[in-house]
Structure formats: C-alpha cells, structure tokens
Amino acid sequence: MKTLKHIHLIFLFQTLLFLPVTFAQKTTINLEFIDKQLSDAAKQIQVLVQNTPEDKFPKTFENGQQKYSNSDWWCSGFYPGTLLYLYEGIGDQRLLDEAEKKLVYLAKEKNNKGTHDLGFMLYCSFGNAYRLTGDSSYKEVLLTGAESLASRYSDIHKVIKSWSWGTWNYAVIIDNMMNLEFLAEMSKLSGNRKYEKIAINHANTTIQNHFRKDYSSYHVVDYDKNSPKVLAKKTHQGVADESAWSRGQGWALYGYTMMYRETKQKAFLNQARHVAKYILNHPNLPKDLIPYWDFDMDKIPTSSKMYKNRALRDVSAASLYASALLELAQYTKGSESSRYFTAAETILRNLSNTPYKANYGENGGYILQHSVGALPGNSEVDVPLTYADYYYVEALLRYKRLLEGKPLTLGL
C-alpha cells in the first residue's frame, strides 16, 4: 500500500518527467528540421572558414568582397561564438578547433577599456568556449574582461558609457543591454556582486530614459558628463530620432528577457513583455515577421537618400527576435506564451528558407543574407552580418534543447 509520501514522490517524478514533453507537444517544428538547419549552417560556415585569414575576423560580404576586422571590432566575438554553437549542435571537432584558433587572437581584448561591447566580444566567444570545454584559461579572460567593462560604469549616471567618440557627452545606446549578461554571469562565476549590481542599475536606468510611452526604444540617450541629466535622445542607425530602429527593439527585447532570467525581477519581465507586444502588434511588421530595418520606414520622405532602400528587411533583427521570444515564452503563460513561441517558430522557418537563407557556397560563406547595418551612413546595406548568423544559430539550439527536454538557456 502506497503511503501519502510515496504518492507525492510519484506525482513529482511524473511531473518532472513529462513537463518538457508537454511543452514539446505544442511545437510545430521537429528535430529533423532543426538538425538539418544546423548541419547546413555548419557546412556553409566552412566556406567562410576557408576564406578567413588566421588573424582576422569575418565582418561581412559586400559586392563580392570579403570584409574582415581586427579583434577590437565590436563584432569579433560572433564568428567564434557561432562556430562554438554549431560545434555544440552537431559535434564536429573542426568547428571547435577553428573557434579556439580565433580565441588566441581575441584574448587581448580582455584589457580593452575603450569599448562597452565586451559582452559581444568576450562572452559570446570565451563564454561559450568555457561552458563547452571548462578550460580555466578562458575563465581568466572572462573575469579580466568583466573588470574592463565595469570600468566604464559611472555611479553618478548609473549606466555604462557606450561611446567615447564624436561630440557625444555621455552616450548610452540600447545595444548596451546585451552586455549585461556578461556582467551578471561573471558575478556568479567570481562571487563578486559588484558586476550584478552594475547590470541591474544599468537596466533600471535604461527603463527610465530609453523608452517611449508605447515601449519603443530610442537608440541613443546622451547624458550630461557630470550628472544624470538627459541632454538628448537620438538615433545613429534608424530613420530618425523618434523612429523605432528594428534591431534596437531586438536588443531591448533580448536584454530585458535575459535580465529577468538573471535576476527574477518582475520589472524586467514586464519590460520585455511590453517590448514584445510593441514589435508583434506593429502594423508595419511584415506577415513573415522579418522586420523592415526600421518600423517607421514608411515615414521616410522621398527626398531622403534612404528612400530607395526604405523597404529593406533586417534579418539580424529577426534572429534576435526569434531567440528572445523563445525564451520569453518560457516566462509567460497561456495565450501570451503561445503567441511569443509561435512567432519565434514563424521567424525560424522563414529564416531557414529563401530568400533569407543563403545557398551553399554563396553569400561569402555566411549563413543568412539581407541584413542592414547602418542605412543612414550607407554602411553594411543589405548584406550578411556575423551577428545575424550568431543569433539564428542560437535560436536553433534553443529550440533543439526544448525538443530534447533540456533547459533552453545554459549559464556558465
């Protein structure tokens, strides 16, 4: 005869056993599809591997020409990060070997205090490498890099300074939300709560100053050098100062979803939900959910140099949306959760097909095509971008983990 305690244990075991399966029953993409996309991506990126000099990092492929950067470019961590994700997905040792070759040239950026992008540069690369290999030398790079990033924080402004160039006073861009995961994870790895405190303060200040009433985000907020006073709210990559630059909305969506995961603070979850609803409810969001490069592209005057390219899509924004929405669906319930998850599935399907997925051997070896870097500056217009590939592969891996009953996100 079973005791009440035994019944409770059996019920708990059955609940834990079937919870991932119950969620998986709601999926409309199967493991075969995901594995094929990961396999295709791994095959395609080998083309890029063959074309990339040992000490350089892929940047884009434009007008039939490969464009590379040095390690100090803000995107330098995405290429090794993508290789590591693909290694995790399909287990090809060549991918890990190539990634580790790049880490040798990237490691010196741990001392770079001149950029806020160390989360992109180091956490996407060394963070994944440390998670997958446990190599203690990678831990040292990460911890040193976190201290370098923390040096850009001001307790007066309660935010991390983004740019140190141009005529900006104390510029903070919405992209900076993405570097907070690095700090939050380093707090756990080091036991130093300073990094987590910086991340939380930055996220809270950004909620206060970066968002409009409809929860769309400004690109740049410029603060007074010596006080927390906001001097201006601008754009550097969108249609106009008051427009909603699509990738910027993605940085916000992903950033606040991640900050809820790291802190369990409801304010961050609510912010992510508001941003998600802004994106998914916008009348200018195309039916395939691959956004135009700016949600206000229809407001560009015919006299503008941007007018002819107003309808370009930004696949990099879509990749961000897919990965973030998969995670946000885990923290919400009912029809709201289903909406986020279904939207992520739609984006993944569409990114995995023409015209967004490149044919093998084309597109310079990049996996996806049709991203927009900075249209106002005529920079990286309708080209492949390393971060589009990174977040696309991340979204595929997250979906694969769900199908296999594993946690969607994996910390260090």
Side-chain angles (χ1 to χ4, degrees), residues 201-261:
N201 285 348
H202 183 102
N204 281 326
T205 304
T206 300
I207 287 178
Q208 293 171 14
N209 297 324
H210 249 89
F211 291 90
R212 305 179 183 94
K213 290 182 178 180
D214 63 2
Y215 294 98
S216 63
S217 171
Y218 288 96
H219 181 202
V220 192
V221 172
D222 198 19
Y223 295 86
D224 179 75
K225 289 181 180 180
N226 302 310
S227 78
K229 180 182 179 181
V230 173
L231 300 178
K233 298 183 179 184
K234 300 285 187 179
T235 194
H236 186 66
Q237 290 170 260
V239 165
D241 292 339
E242 291 296 330
S243 73
W245 173 51
S246 297
R247 191 162 64 252
Q249 312 316 303
W251 298 137
L253 173 64
Y254 190 111
Y256 281 102
T257 302
M258 172 275 299
M259 283 300 294
Y260 174 70
R261 179 219 311 155

Coordinates of all heavy atoms in Angstrom, one line a residue, residues 201-261:
N201 N 21.5 48.2 -12.2 CA 21.4 49.6 -12.2 C 21.3 50.1 -13.7 O 20.5 51.0 -14.0 CB 22.6 50.3 -11.6 CG 22.6 50.2 -10.0 OD1 21.5 49.9 -9.5 ND2 23.7 50.5 -9.4
H202 N 22.1 49.6 -14.6 CA 22.1 50.0 -16.0 C 20.7 49.7 -16.6 O 20.1 50.5 -17.3 CB 23.2 49.2 -16.8 CG 23.2 49.7 -18.2 ND1 24.2 50.6 -18.7 CD2 22.4 49.4 -19.3 CE1 24.0 50.8 -20.0 NE2 22.9 50.0 -20.3
A203 N 20.2 48.5 -16.3 CA 18.9 48.1 -16.8 C 17.8 49.0 -16.3 O 16.9 49.4 -17.0 CB 18.6 46.6 -16.5
N204 N 17.8 49.3 -15.0 CA 16.8 50.2 -14.4 C 16.8 51.6 -15.0 O 15.8 52.2 -15.3 CB 16.9 50.2 -12.9 CG 16.4 49.0 -12.2 OD1 15.4 48.4 -12.7 ND2 17.0 48.6 -11.1
T205 N 18.0 52.1 -15.1 CA 18.2 53.5 -15.7 C 17.7 53.5 -17.1 O 17.1 54.5 -17.6 CB 19.6 53.9 -15.6 OG1 20.1 53.9 -14.2 CG2 19.8 55.4 -16.1
T206 N 18.0 52.4 -17.9 CA 17.6 52.4 -19.3 C 16.1 52.3 -19.4 O 15.5 52.9 -20.3 CB 18.2 51.1 -19.9 OG1 19.6 51.2 -19.9 CG2 17.8 51.0 -21.4
I207 N 15.4 51.6 -18.5 CA 13.9 51.6 -18.5 C 13.4 53.1 -18.3 O 12.5 53.5 -19.0 CB 13.4 50.8 -17.3 CG1 13.5 49.3 -17.7 CG2 11.9 51.1 -17.1 CD1 13.0 48.3 -16.6
Q208 N 14.0 53.8 -17.4 CA 13.6 55.2 -17.1 C 13.8 56.1 -18.3 O 12.9 57.0 -18.5 CB 14.4 55.7 -15.9 CG 14.1 55.0 -14.6 CD 15.0 55.4 -13.5 OE1 15.7 56.4 -13.6 NE2 15.1 54.7 -12.4
N209 N 14.9 56.0 -19.0 CA 15.3 57.0 -20.0 C 15.2 56.6 -21.5 O 15.3 57.5 -22.3 CB 16.7 57.5 -19.6 CG 16.7 58.2 -18.3 OD1 15.8 58.9 -17.9 ND2 17.8 58.0 -17.6
H210 N 15.2 55.3 -21.8 CA 15.3 54.9 -23.2 C 14.0 54.7 -23.9 O 14.0 54.5 -25.1 CB 16.2 53.7 -23.3 CG 17.5 53.9 -23.9 ND1 18.7 54.3 -23.2 CD2 18.0 53.8 -25.2 CE1 19.7 54.4 -24.0 NE2 19.3 54.1 -25.2
F211 N 12.9 54.6 -23.2 CA 11.7 54.1 -23.8 C 10.6 55.2 -23.9 O 10.5 56.0 -23.0 CB 11.1 52.9 -23.0 CG 12.0 51.7 -23.1 CD1 13.0 51.5 -22.3 CD2 11.8 50.8 -24.2 CE1 13.9 50.3 -22.4 CE2 12.6 49.7 -24.3 CZ 13.6 49.5 -23.5
R212 N 9.8 55.1 -24.9 CA 8.7 56.0 -25.1 C 7.5 55.4 -24.4 O 7.5 54.2 -24.0 CB 8.4 56.2 -26.6 CG 9.6 56.7 -27.4 CD 9.3 56.9 -28.9 NE 10.5 57.3 -29.6 CZ 11.4 56.5 -30.2 NH1 11.1 55.1 -30.2 NH2 12.4 56.9 -30.9
K213 N 6.4 56.1 -24.5 CA 5.1 55.6 -23.8 C 4.6 54.3 -24.5 O 4.0 53.5 -23.8 CB 4.1 56.6 -23.8 CG 4.4 57.8 -22.9 CD 3.2 58.8 -22.9 CE 3.5 60.0 -22.0 NZ 2.4 61.0 -22.0
D214 N 4.9 54.1 -25.7 CA 4.5 52.9 -26.4 C 5.5 51.7 -26.3 O 5.3 50.7 -26.9 CB 4.2 53.2 -27.9 CG 5.4 53.6 -28.7 OD1 6.5 53.7 -28.1 OD2 5.3 53.9 -29.9
Y215 N 6.5 51.9 -25.5 CA 7.6 50.9 -25.2 C 8.5 50.7 -26.4 O 9.3 49.7 -26.4 CB 7.0 49.6 -24.7 CG 6.3 49.8 -23.4 CD1 4.9 50.0 -23.3 CD2 7.1 49.9 -22.2 CE1 4.3 50.2 -22.0 CE2 6.5 50.1 -21.0 CZ 5.1 50.2 -20.9 OH 4.5 50.4 -19.7
S216 N 8.5 51.6 -27.4 CA 9.6 51.5 -28.4 C 10.8 52.2 -27.7 O 10.7 53.1 -26.9 CB 9.1 52.2 -29.7 OG 8.9 53.6 -29.4
S217 N 12.0 51.9 -28.2 CA 13.2 52.4 -27.6 C 13.9 53.4 -28.5 O 13.9 53.2 -29.8 CB 14.1 51.2 -27.4 OG 15.4 51.7 -27.0
Y218 N 14.4 54.4 -27.9 CA 15.4 55.3 -28.6 C 16.6 54.5 -28.8 O 16.9 53.5 -28.1 CB 15.7 56.5 -27.7 CG 14.5 57.5 -27.7 CD1 13.6 57.5 -26.6 CD2 14.4 58.5 -28.7 CE1 12.6 58.4 -26.5 CE2 13.3 59.4 -28.6 CZ 12.5 59.4 -27.5 OH 11.4 60.3 -27.5
H219 N 17.4 54.9 -29.8 CA 18.7 54.3 -30.0 C 19.8 54.8 -29.0 O 20.4 54.1 -28.3 CB 19.2 54.5 -31.4 CG 20.5 53.9 -31.7 ND1 21.3 54.3 -32.8 CD2 21.2 52.9 -31.1 CE1 22.4 53.5 -32.8 NE2 22.3 52.7 -31.8
V220 N 19.9 56.1 -29.0 CA 21.0 56.8 -28.1 C 20.4 57.7 -27.1 O 19.6 58.6 -27.5 CB 22.0 57.5 -29.0 CG1 23.2 57.9 -28.2 CG2 22.4 56.8 -30.3
V221 N 20.8 57.6 -25.9 CA 20.5 58.6 -24.9 C 21.8 59.3 -24.5 O 22.7 58.6 -24.1 CB 19.8 58.0 -23.7 CG1 19.6 59.1 -22.6 CG2 18.4 57.5 -24.1
D222 N 21.9 60.6 -24.6 CA 23.1 61.3 -24.3 C 22.9 62.0 -23.0 O 22.0 62.9 -22.8 CB 23.5 62.3 -25.4 CG 24.9 62.8 -25.3 OD1 25.7 62.1 -24.7 OD2 25.2 63.8 -25.9
Y223 N 23.7 61.7 -22.0 CA 23.6 62.3 -20.6 C 24.7 63.4 -20.5 O 25.7 63.5 -21.2 CB 23.9 61.2 -19.6 CG 22.9 60.1 -19.5 CD1 23.0 59.0 -20.3 CD2 21.8 60.2 -18.6 CE1 22.1 57.9 -20.2 CE2 20.9 59.1 -18.5 CZ 21.0 58.0 -19.3 OH 20.1 57.0 -19.2
D224 N 24.4 64.3 -19.6 CA 25.4 65.3 -19.2 C 26.6 64.5 -18.6 O 26.5 63.5 -18.0 CB 24.8 66.2 -18.1 CG 25.8 67.2 -17.6 OD1 26.1 68.2 -18.4 OD2 26.4 67.1 -16.5
K225 N 27.8 65.1 -18.9 CA 29.0 64.4 -18.5 C 29.1 64.2 -17.0 O 29.7 63.3 -16.5 CB 30.3 65.2 -19.0 CG 30.5 65.1 -20.5 CD 31.7 65.9 -20.9 CE 31.9 65.8 -22.4 NZ 33.1 66.5 -22.8
N226 N 28.6 65.2 -16.2 CA 28.8 65.3 -14.8 C 27.6 65.0 -14.0 O 27.7 65.2 -12.7 CB 29.5 66.6 -14.4 CG 30.7 66.9 -15.2 OD1 31.6 66.1 -15.2 ND2 30.8 68.1 -15.8
S227 N 26.5 64.7 -14.6 CA 25.3 64.5 -13.9 C 24.4 63.5 -14.6 O 24.6 63.2 -15.8 CB 24.5 65.8 -13.7 OG 23.8 66.2 -14.8
P228 N 23.3 63.0 -14.0 CA 22.4 62.0 -14.7 C 21.4 62.7 -15.6 O 20.5 62.0 -16.1 CB 21.8 61.3 -13.5 CG 21.8 62.2 -12.4 CD 23.1 63.0 -12.5
K229 N 21.5 64.0 -15.8 CA 20.6 64.7 -16.6 C 20.7 64.2 -18.1 O 21.7 64.1 -18.6 CB 20.9 66.2 -16.6 CG 19.9 67.1 -17.4 CD 20.3 68.5 -17.3 CE 19.4 69.4 -18.2 NZ 19.7 70.8 -18.2
V230 N 19.5 64.0 -18.7 CA 19.5 63.6 -20.1 C 19.5 64.8 -20.9 O 18.6 65.7 -20.8 CB 18.2 62.8 -20.4 CG1 18.0 62.5 -21.9 CG2 18.2 61.4 -19.6
L231 N 20.4 64.9 -21.9 CA 20.6 66.0 -22.7 C 19.9 65.8 -24.1 O 19.3 66.8 -24.6 CB 22.1 66.3 -23.0 CG 22.9 66.7 -21.8 CD1 24.4 66.9 -22.2 CD2 22.4 67.9 -21.0
A232 N 19.8 64.6 -24.6 CA 19.2 64.4 -25.9 C 18.9 62.9 -26.1 O 19.6 62.0 -25.4 CB 20.2 64.8 -27.0
K233 N 17.9 62.6 -26.9 CA 17.6 61.3 -27.3 C 17.6 61.2 -28.8 O 16.8 61.9 -29.5 CB 16.2 60.9 -26.8 CG 16.2 60.9 -25.2 CD 14.8 60.5 -24.7 CE 14.9 60.5 -23.1 NZ 13.6 60.0 -22.5
K234 N 18.5 60.4 -29.4 CA 18.9 60.4 -30.8 C 18.9 59.0 -31.4 O 18.7 58.0 -30.7 CB 20.3 61.1 -31.0 CG 20.4 62.5 -30.4 CD 19.7 63.5 -31.4 CE 20.0 64.9 -31.0 NZ 19.3 65.9 -31.9
T235 N 19.1 59.0 -32.7 CA 19.4 57.8 -33.4 C 20.7 57.9 -34.2 O 21.1 59.0 -34.5 CB 18.3 57.4 -34.4 OG1 18.5 56.0 -34.7 CG2 18.3 58.2 -35.6
H236 N 21.4 56.8 -34.4 CA 22.6 56.8 -35.2 C 22.4 55.8 -36.4 O 23.1 55.9 -37.4 CB 23.8 56.4 -34.4 CG 25.1 56.5 -35.1 ND1 25.7 57.7 -35.5 CD2 26.0 55.5 -35.5 CE1 26.8 57.4 -36.1 NE2 27.0 56.1 -36.1
Q237 N 21.4 54.9 -36.2 CA 21.2 53.9 -37.3 C 19.8 53.8 -37.7 O 19.5 53.0 -38.7 CB 21.7 52.6 -36.7 CG 23.3 52.5 -36.6 CD 23.7 51.3 -35.8 OE1 24.1 51.3 -34.6 NE2 23.8 50.2 -36.5
G238 N 18.9 54.5 -37.2 CA 17.5 54.4 -37.6 C 17.1 55.5 -38.5 O 17.9 56.4 -38.9
V239 N 15.8 55.6 -38.9 CA 15.2 56.6 -39.8 C 15.4 58.0 -39.2 O 15.8 58.9 -39.9 CB 13.7 56.3 -40.1 CG1 13.1 57.5 -40.7 CG2 13.6 55.0 -41.0
A240 N 15.0 58.1 -38.0 CA 15.0 59.4 -37.3 C 15.1 59.3 -35.8 O 14.9 58.2 -35.3 CB 13.8 60.2 -37.7
D241 N 15.3 60.4 -35.1 CA 15.4 60.3 -33.7 C 14.2 59.7 -33.0 O 14.3 59.0 -32.0 CB 15.7 61.7 -33.1 CG 17.0 62.2 -33.4 OD1 17.9 61.4 -33.8 OD2 17.2 63.5 -33.4
E242 N 13.0 59.9 -33.6 CA 11.8 59.4 -33.0 C 11.3 58.1 -33.6 O 10.2 57.6 -33.4 CB 10.7 60.5 -33.1 CG 10.9 61.7 -32.2 CD 10.9 61.3 -30.7 OE1 10.2 60.4 -30.3 OE2 11.6 62.0 -29.9
S243 N 12.1 57.5 -34.5 CA 11.7 56.3 -35.1 C 12.1 55.1 -34.2 O 12.9 55.2 -33.3 CB 12.3 56.1 -36.5 OG 13.7 55.8 -36.4
A244 N 11.6 53.9 -34.6 CA 11.9 52.7 -33.9 C 12.7 51.8 -34.7 O 12.2 51.0 -35.6 CB 10.6 51.9 -33.5
W245 N 14.0 51.9 -34.6 CA 15.0 51.1 -35.3 C 14.8 49.7 -34.9 O 14.9 49.3 -33.7 CB 16.4 51.7 -35.0 CG 17.6 50.9 -35.5 CD1 17.8 50.5 -36.8 CD2 18.7 50.4 -34.7 NE1 19.0 49.8 -36.9 CE2 19.5 49.8 -35.6 CE3 19.1 50.6 -33.4 CZ2 20.7 49.2 -35.2 CZ3 20.2 50.0 -33.0 CH2 21.1 49.3 -33.9
S246 N 14.7 48.8 -35.9 CA 14.2 47.4 -35.6 C 15.2 46.6 -34.8 O 14.8 45.9 -33.9 CB 13.9 46.7 -36.9 OG 12.9 47.4 -37.6
R247 N 16.5 46.7 -35.1 CA 17.4 45.9 -34.3 C 17.5 46.5 -32.9 O 17.7 45.7 -31.9 CB 18.8 45.9 -35.0 CG 19.7 44.9 -34.3 CD 20.9 44.5 -35.2 NE 21.8 45.6 -35.4 CZ 21.9 46.2 -36.6 NH1 21.2 45.8 -37.7 NH2 22.8 47.2 -36.8
G248 N 17.3 47.8 -32.7 CA 17.3 48.3 -31.4 C 16.2 47.8 -30.5 O 16.4 47.5 -29.3
Q249 N 15.0 47.5 -31.1 CA 13.9 46.9 -30.4 C 14.3 45.5 -30.0 O 13.9 44.9 -29.0 CB 12.7 46.9 -31.2 CG 12.3 48.3 -31.9 CD 12.5 49.5 -30.9 OE1 11.9 49.5 -29.9 NE2 13.3 50.4 -31.4
G250 N 15.1 44.8 -30.9 CA 15.6 43.5 -30.6 C 16.6 43.4 -29.4 O 16.5 42.5 -28.6
W251 N 17.5 44.4 -29.4 CA 18.4 44.5 -28.3 C 17.6 44.6 -27.0 O 18.0 44.0 -25.9 CB 19.4 45.7 -28.4 CG 20.3 45.7 -29.6 CD1 20.6 46.8 -30.4 CD2 21.1 44.7 -30.1 NE1 21.5 46.5 -31.3 CE2 21.9 45.2 -31.2 CE3 21.3 43.3 -29.8 CZ2 22.8 44.4 -32.0 CZ3 22.2 42.5 -30.5 CH2 22.9 43.1 -31.6
A252 N 16.6 45.5 -27.0 CA 15.8 45.7 -25.8 C 15.0 44.4 -25.4 O 15.0 44.0 -24.2 CB 14.8 46.8 -26.0
L253 N 14.4 43.8 -26.4 CA 13.6 42.6 -26.1 C 14.5 41.5 -25.5 O 14.2 40.9 -24.4 CB 13.0 42.1 -27.4 CG 12.3 40.7 -27.3 CD1 11.1 40.8 -26.4 CD2 11.9 40.3 -28.7
Y254 N 15.6 41.2 -26.1 CA 16.5 40.2 -25.7 C 17.1 40.6 -24.3 O 17.2 39.8 -23.4 CB 17.6 40.0 -26.7 CG 18.5 38.8 -26.5 CD1 18.5 37.8 -27.4 CD2 19.5 38.8 -25.5 CE1 19.4 36.7 -27.2 CE2 20.3 37.7 -25.3 CZ 20.3 36.6 -26.2 OH 21.1 35.6 -26.0
G255 N 17.5 41.9 -24.2 CA 18.2 42.3 -23.0 C 17.4 42.2 -21.7 O 17.8 41.7 -20.7
Y256 N 16.1 42.6 -21.8 CA 15.2 42.5 -20.6 C 14.7 41.1 -20.3 O 14.5 40.8 -19.2 CB 14.1 43.5 -20.7 CG 14.6 44.9 -20.4 CD1 14.9 45.8 -21.4 CD2 14.9 45.3 -19.1 CE1 15.4 47.1 -21.1 CE2 15.4 46.5 -18.8 CZ 15.7 47.4 -19.8 OH 16.2 48.7 -19.5
T257 N 14.6 40.3 -21.4 CA 14.3 38.9 -21.1 C 15.4 38.2 -20.4 O 15.2 37.5 -19.4 CB 14.0 38.2 -22.5 OG1 12.9 38.8 -23.2 CG2 13.6 36.7 -22.2
M258 N 16.6 38.5 -20.8 CA 17.8 37.9 -20.2 C 17.9 38.4 -18.8 O 18.3 37.7 -17.8 CB 19.0 38.3 -21.0 CG 20.4 37.9 -20.4 SD 21.0 39.2 -19.3 CE 21.1 40.6 -20.4
M259 N 17.7 39.8 -18.5 CA 17.8 40.3 -17.2 C 16.8 39.7 -16.2 O 17.1 39.6 -15.0 CB 17.7 41.8 -17.2 CG 19.0 42.5 -17.7 SD 20.5 42.2 -16.7 CE 20.0 43.0 -15.1
Y260 N 15.6 39.4 -16.7 CA 14.7 38.7 -15.8 C 15.2 37.3 -15.5 O 15.1 36.9 -14.3 CB 13.3 38.6 -16.5 CG 12.4 37.7 -15.7 CD1 11.9 38.2 -14.5 CD2 12.0 36.4 -16.0 CE1 11.0 37.4 -13.7 CE2 11.2 35.7 -15.3 CZ 10.7 36.2 -14.1 OH 9.9 35.4 -13.3
R261 N 15.8 36.6 -16.5 CA 16.3 35.3 -16.2 C 17.4 35.4 -15.1 O 17.5 34.6 -14.2 CB 16.9 34.7 -17.4 CG 17.6 33.3 -17.2 CD 18.9 33.2 -18.1 NE 18.7 33.6 -19.4 CZ 19.7 34.0 -20.2 NH1 20.9 34.1 -19.7 NH2 19.5 34.4 -21.4

